[in-house]
Amino acid sequence: MAPSRDRRPGFSRRAQYGLFVTWVLGIAGALVGAALLALSLFNPTGFAAVRSGVAEVTVPVSAAMAWVARGVVAVPQAIGGWIDVHGENERLRARVQRSAGALMAGRAAMLENARLRRLVAFRERDATVVAVTRIVSTSSSSTRRYGLLNAGRWQGVEEGQPVRGPEGLIGRVLEAGPGTARVLLLTDPESVVPVRRLRDGRAALAAGRGDGLVDIRTIDTADGKFRAGDVYVTTGVGGIYTPGVPVAQGLAAGTDSAPARPFARPDSLDVAMVSRQYFAPPPPAPAAAPTPAPVPAPAPTRAP
């Protein structure tokens, strides 16, 4: 069925008013456009003034509408950015967790390499080393502190020989078997090592406490003021221990005694060096007194 050519809106007054207003606005817009076109052709200066005035009125409205549009557009962008950042953070955390194991392994390898370099350097410059062996176990559950080496008399280890690590003194061999040796650790209550203080050379004794630390005790009362941070090394007095081996560092101040922490920790070491016992060189023999030269006798004089 062909559509009717009658385009009247029917009997609805709202539709009729709407159509009327549309025609009025269209005609008014056409008239305004024609007037502006004529103005721009015959009076450009006036048209520029009208255009500037219209711009002054419409710019704030356009700016407000643009701000609202940007805000509306920014909402999904912000949501998408938050989702992207959250996902990126999760990926970075996962990457950090995956690389944490490799980082820890790398740091452990660096520490092990540094320790082995110190050990090799000491082994090369110390000709008194008998054996470089491993500490199989140490006693840490009782007050007695012993260590067990997997080297004995077959490797040249004997009783009384000092044992040290790259950081400092560990103790001395207490018993030596064919393939193992028992070490009296520096921290054992029966261990006493002559030491001297580096800052002034004052002599003292490092006695084990049985709790992983040692007590630095005075020998005389000339200067018994211990300080935290004082470093103590072996003196070589009495033999056994080579002079100059690091022993411990003071933890607190004291008058007659002070606690100190050994540099070498057997519970964290797996390599130790056994050296020959130190014997102080004998004092030099006194030089013989020079024999006085004979004095020549005076020549006899003749009588006149």
Side-chain angles (χ1 to χ4, degrees), residues 177-303:
T180 59
R182 195 180 185 195
V183 179
L184 181 70
L185 299 181
L186 182 66
T187 56
D188 188 87
E190 298 295 327
S191 173
V192 178
V193 179
V195 296
R196 62 181 177 86
R197 191 166 50 192
L198 274 186
R199 63 182 171 91
D200 56 3
R202 179 67 59 185
L205 295 175
R209 296 172 31 147
D211 58 355
L213 301 178
V214 296
D215 274 333
I216 305 299
R217 302 172 182 173
T218 57
I219 295 178
D220 52 32
T221 57
D223 183 11
K225 296 180 180 180
F226 299 109
R227 304 176 187 173
D230 283 344
V231 177
Y232 301 91
V233 298
T234 55
T235 61
V237 176
I240 301 179
Y241 304 105
T242 305
V245 178
V247 176
Q249 185 175 20
L251 295 177
T255 304
D256 295 329
S257 65
R261 185 182 303 279
F263 286 108
R265 305 295 302 273
D267 54 351
S268 61
L269 290 174
D270 59 349
V271 178
M273 294 168 291
V274 183
S275 304
R276 297 185 181 91
Q277 292 188 24
Y278 171 76
F279 295 100
T291 304
V295 179
T301 57
R302 296 180 179 180

Side-chain angles (χ1 to χ4, degrees), residues 44-190:
T45 304
F47 178 74
V50 173
R51 183 174 56 189
S52 177
V54 172
E56 291 293 334
V57 174
T58 58
V59 163
V61 178
S62 301
M65 294 180 65
W67 180 80
V68 172
R70 287 194 300 268
V72 173
V73 173
V75 171
Q77 291 180 350
I79 295 174
W82 182 85
I83 295 174
D84 293 341
V85 170
H86 185 71
E88 184 66 19
N89 288 338
E90 292 296 332
R91 289 191 293 271
L92 290 176
R93 290 192 186 97
R95 184 180 301 176
V96 169
Q97 290 178 358
R98 288 194 301 268
S99 61
L103 181 61
M104 294 179 62
R107 289 179 177 175
M110 291 177 60
L111 294 175
E112 182 67 12
N113 289 338
R115 187 180 65 84
L116 292 178
R117 288 192 189 100
R118 294 195 301 269
L119 184 63
V120 171
F122 176 77
R123 179 68 177 85
E124 290 178 350
R125 69 172 180 262
D126 191 350
T128 63
V129 175
V130 173
V132 177
T133 181
R134 291 186 176 275
I135 299 179
V136 178
S137 63
T138 58
S139 61
S140 58
S141 59
S142 63
T143 57
R144 301 307 304 270
R145 298 302 173 100
Y146 298 107
L148 187 63
L149 304 178
N150 64 344
R153 290 194 298 268
W154 291 345
Q155 289 78 23
V157 178
E158 298 178 358
E159 296 178 3
Q161 292 178 340
V163 182
R164 64 161 297 179
E167 290 80 12
L169 185 66
I170 296 176
R172 60 182 174 88
V173 177
L174 189 63
E175 300 173 357
T180 59
R182 195 180 185 195
V183 179
L184 181 70
L185 299 181
L186 182 66
T187 56
D188 188 87
E190 298 295 327

